[in-house]
Amino acid sequence: GIAYVLTRHVALDPSKSRALWATALLQVAVSGMLLLVAFMTLSSYALVDRVHLNSMLLLGLSELIALPLANVASSLCLALGRGGMAALSMCLVPLFRLTVVIVAVLDGIAGAPHHVAFPPFGGSILGVSAALVLISGMVGLPAWSARLPIVTAGSQGTKYAIGSMVGSSYQEVDKVLLLQILGATAAGNYTVAFRIMSVFLMPISALMGAALPRLFSHKGELVGSRILRAISFSAIGYAAIAGVIAMIVSPWMPRIFGEGFSESAVYLLMLSPWPVLYALHQTAAVGLTASDRQVARVGIEFSGLVFVAVVNLVFLESIGVTAAMVALLSAEILMACAGWYLLLRRR
C-alpha cells in the first residue's frame, strides 16, 4: 500500500518527495523480503520437483521487489504531475525484460524453467536501476533521515494494500470456481473473452491512477468535485465507446483464436456493458479513496467479492458460464451504487 501513502503525502506537500521516496524504498524492501520468504517456503513444498528453487528466487526478486519499486517510482512521478515520466518509469522493467529475453532467445537459450528465469531477472534489475536513476534526476537522493517510521508507513498502507487485494480479487474468483465446477473448457472460453474485455478496461484504470494525486490535493474542495465529475464523464464516455467496439469485435473471436473458441464470441458480447459499469464503480471508488474513506471502499468491494463468489457457487452448476457474467455485472452495479451513494450523501 505504500504507493497510495506516497501519492497522498506528496500530492498534499510536494516538498516531502525525497522523504516519501526513502519511505517507499524501505517499505518495498521490507515487505518484499517478507513476501519472498513466504513465496520461497511455499515453493519448496509445492514446486521443487518441477522448478529449481534458484529459479523461483530470481522470479520472486523480480516480481516482489524490482517491479514494485518501478511502480512506486511511477506513482511518485504522477504525484508530482509528471505524467510522461510516470509512463516511462512504468515501461522500464517490461522494456528491459523484453530486450534481455529477445537477446537470450537469439543467443539460443534453452526453454527449460531453470534457464528462462534468468532473462526476466536481468531485465528487472536493469529496469529498476533505470527507474532509480530517473527519480534521482527528478527529485534527488532519498532523504533517509526525514522518512516516515516503517510502523507508521505500514499502518497507513495496510488499508490500501487490503483494498488493492480485494479490488482485484472480485474479478478473478470466478475463473477459479469455473475451473473447479465446470472444467477447463468452460473456464478457457470465458477467460479469453474476459481478458480481451480487460484490455478495454486498462485506460479507465490508468485514468483513475492519474487523477488520484489531483483528487488527494483537493479533497473536500469544490475543485475536487469538479475534477471527479470530469474524470467520471471522461471514463464513462470512453467506456461506452469501448463497449461498442467489443460488440463489433466479438464475431471475429473464432477467426482469431480458432473455432474451439466460438463460445467466447457470445461471452464477449454479453460482457460489452462491463466497461460502463466498471467506470461508474471505479470513479466512485477513487472518490472514496481521495476523501479518506478507504475503509468504506474496502467494505463495498469486499461485499462485491463475496457476492460474486456466492452467486457463482450457487448458480454455476445449474446455469453455466452465464452465472459468472451475471454475477460480475451485478456486482459492478451494486458497488457503483453504494460508492456513489456514500459520496453524494456526504456532499
Side-chain angles (χ1 to χ4, degrees), residues 5 9 49 53 56 108 154 170 216 218 248 262 270 276 283 291:
V5 176
H9 283 279
D49 294 333
L53 285 180
M56 300 304 294
Y170 83 91
F216 269 135
H218 294 293
I248 295 172
S262 57
M270 294 178 68
V276 172
T283 49
S291 58

Side-chain angles (χ1 to χ4, degrees), residues 60-188:
L61 289 170
S62 301
E63 299 300 325
L64 300 175
I65 296 180
L67 184 61
L69 281 175
N71 291 342
V72 171
S74 179
S75 296
L76 178 58
C77 294
L78 281 175
L80 293 171
R82 305 289 294 274
M85 289 296 187
L88 176 60
S89 177
M90 184 67 74
C91 291
L92 286 173
V93 169
L95 178 62
F96 277 101
R97 282 182 180 178
L98 179 61
T99 302
V100 175
V101 167
I102 291 174
V103 171
V105 170
L106 294 177
D107 194 47
I109 187 173
H114 60 279
H115 286 152
V116 299
F118 286 94
F121 174 72
S124 298
I125 296 301
L126 292 174
V128 76
S129 299
L132 294 175
V133 171
L134 179 71
I135 296 299
S136 296
M138 185 185 304
V139 302
L141 296 175
W144 295 104
S145 60
R147 64 177 175 81
L148 294 176
I150 191 167
V151 174
T152 302
S155 63
Q156 291 183 14
T158 297
K159 60 184 178 182
Y160 297 116
I162 295 173
S164 296
M165 181 176 67
V166 172
S168 60
S169 296
Y170 83 91
Q171 299 182 25
E172 302 300 330
V173 67
D174 52 0
K175 265 75 73 185
V176 178
L177 296 174
L178 271 167
L179 184 61
Q180 296 296 323
I181 297 173
L182 299 182
T185 301

